[in-house]
Amino acid sequence: MESILLGVGVTALAGALATVAGAAEDTESNIGSQGDPNSQVQLAPQMGYIHRIYNKAVSGEPPAYGLWVTIGAGVAWAFMATGMNPVLAIVIASALAIFVQGVYAATAYLGRTSSLAKFEQPVYIDLLKSVTSVTMAHAFVAVFTTVSMCYLLNAALGHPFPLPLLGIVWGIALGAAGSATGNPFYGKERQYQSQMFGAGVPISASGNIVRYAEAGQRSSLDNGWFTAKLGGPASGVCFGLIVFLELWRTVLFEEAVGGWGAIIVGVIIILIFMIIDRYIETWARKNYGPYVKAEEASA
């Protein structure tokens, strides 16, 4: 009973760390314009729309965060092997991983923006200084909390995978959760606020992103204010639920049905979410139907 209570407590703590990690990851990604919506940022100057949006996407979020979390977990693992305090090791290792992230972000922004010079897109030095530091701060929170979660799995739950391998798995999962959940808030609700809700992005509007804020030209920091309220928490809840449900079913049902209990519960959870998703989709289609223009609807 004590081991189960300990496992449930660790599961709750790991889920809380994952929630913070997901929120920080999505906010960092949206401020840096990394992920699916970045294609419109890259396209904008080619369509004649000069902007002040940071542009650091060279890879998608899953491989990027897989790299940074793995660096943090691997370096922390090496430090702890020498006898360093685990908390200090994770902090220093996460800082070193974020140094790599900062170099990645700065060189990606300079390289991608310089490639658009023939379309008269300038490199804004003030943007490089301000946004790079903000993305590094958010990425540090995401990497630190994820590496801490991986350490809990090893130290408290006795997970058989070493810390660097857990970093690969959960780093990719973290980036995937933010990319799938938070990007729509940035891409559809923020970049294309000028389009009617539900209208999608027509071909004629490709690259015509919203470039002006309430006062002056919009920068990536303005996008961060928006997505930290919506996309960040949504991504945090998504990643937190993934971690919590994964650990919860393992802690409680791993010994049931000859070791198959956790797998059976996992399949049941997937089926429940599939039913809920299908119900929401059919409900929305039935109540709202396809998008039509205002004049068509009134006629």
Side-chain angles (χ1 to χ4, degrees):
M1 179 60 70
E2 290 182 0
S3 61
I4 292 178
L5 291 177
L6 175 63
V8 172
V10 172
T11 297
L13 180 56
L17 289 171
T19 301
V20 175
E25 186 279 337
D26 182 65
T27 305
E28 184 275 334
S29 171
N30 293 336
I31 290 175
S33 188
Q34 179 180 355
D36 299 337
N38 174 74
S39 59
Q40 296 296 321
V41 175
Q42 181 76 3
L43 180 63
Q46 303 175 45
M47 305 300 291
Y49 305 112
I50 306 302
H51 60 78
R52 281 174 55 86
I53 306 299
Y54 203 83
N55 186 356
K56 72 176 182 67
V58 172
S59 70
E61 296 168 61
Y65 270 90
L67 170 64
W68 301 330
V69 174
T70 303
I71 291 175
V75 174
W77 180 65
F79 283 159
M80 285 185 282
T82 64
M84 183 181 289
N85 178 276
V87 176
L88 183 60
I90 294 174
V91 170
I92 296 176
S94 299
L96 293 175
I98 296 313
F99 175 78
V100 176
Q101 187 267 350
V103 173
Y104 167 98
T107 54
Y109 169 71
L110 291 173
R112 300 204 86 191
T113 309
S114 299
S115 69
L116 297 170
K118 62 182 178 180
F119 302 106
E120 301 182 355
Q121 172 66 46
V123 172
Y124 294 99
I125 300 301
D126 65 316
L127 197 67
L128 177 65
K129 292 179 179 179
S130 60
V131 177
T132 303
S133 59
V134 174
T135 64
M136 291 176 69
H138 284 82
F140 176 82
V141 174
V143 172
F144 172 76
T145 50
T146 306
V147 175
S148 299
M149 181 195 74
C150 294
Y151 175 74
L152 280 177
L153 301 186
N154 259 147
L157 297 182
H159 199 287
F161 287 3
L163 196 58
L165 185 53
L166 283 174
I168 294 176
V169 173
W170 287 113
I172 293 175
L174 171 63
S179 178
T181 308
N183 277 354
F185 290 93
Y186 169 50
K188 300 179 180 67
E189 306 301 332
R190 187 62 170 173
Q191 285 187 169
Y192 281 95
Q193 289 174 305
S194 56
Q195 298 295 317
M196 292 292 293
F197 182 79
V201 181
I203 297 298
S204 59
S206 294
N208 187 13
I209 58 177
V210 177
R211 296 172 293 146
Y212 295 95
E214 292 74 14
Q217 201 167 4
R218 176 177 292 176
S219 75
S220 293
L221 297 180
D222 298 303
N223 291 334
W225 284 107
F226 178 83
T227 55
K229 298 176 182 179
L230 300 171
S235 299
V237 170
C238 173
F239 189 55
L241 283 175
I242 291 173
V243 172
F244 178 79
L245 293 175
E246 169 67 17
L247 299 183
W248 171 80
R249 69 181 180 86
T250 302
V251 168
L252 294 183
F253 301 101
E254 186 176 19
E255 303 299 329
V257 197
W260 286 86
I263 297 176
I264 295 173
V265 173
V267 173
I268 293 174
I269 291 174
I270 292 174
L271 292 175
I272 290 174
F273 274 102
M274 288 177 61
I275 294 171
I276 293 173
D277 292 341
R278 180 60 179 168
Y279 173 78
I280 293 175
E281 179 186 0
T282 54
W283 178 87
R285 290 182 181 276
K286 178 180 178 181
N287 285 273
Y288 295 99
Y291 173 79
V292 293
K293 292 183 178 180
E295 56 269 19
E296 295 177 0
S298 60

